[in-house]
Amino acid sequence: MLPAFLELGTPDLGTAAGQAVANGARSITVIPYFLTLGLHLERDLPRLIDGIALAHPGIGIRVAAPLDGHPALVQALLDRARKPASD
């Protein structure tokens, strides 16, 4: 598993995908770490995925659903609300 960022972090998604392919990956699953469907998921991510597919023909690429609506999300938020932030 390789972390990647859409902006303001490294490695970016294209670089992480290139590293995965260089390490022998034959397929890539992108797991968006976003709470809701927004511009990054609707506009930016599909554009980046298209670029990765062009750069790495033959590599299967799929995008998982965002966290929005996942049943564990409410429990995670409640757990955080019950515990004070560390100082």
Side-chain angles (χ1 to χ4, degrees), residues 10-82:
T10 58
D12 63 26
L13 186 56
T15 299
Q19 290 171 344
V21 172
N23 289 335
R26 303 293 357 135
S27 66
I28 296 171
T29 300
V30 176
I31 304 170
Y33 191 63
F34 293 98
L35 294 177
T36 61
L37 185 63
L39 283 178
H40 278 313
L41 292 177
E42 291 178 333
R43 180 191 63 200
D44 301 332
L45 188 58
R47 179 182 48 81
L48 291 167
I49 296 299
D50 288 346
I52 292 166
L54 286 173
H56 304 285
I59 299 297
I61 302 174
R62 86 174 190 86
V63 179
L67 296 174
D68 184 33
H70 193 284
L73 185 57
V74 171
Q75 188 59 50
L77 292 171
L78 290 172
D79 289 348
R80 290 290 187 217
R82 289 183 185 118

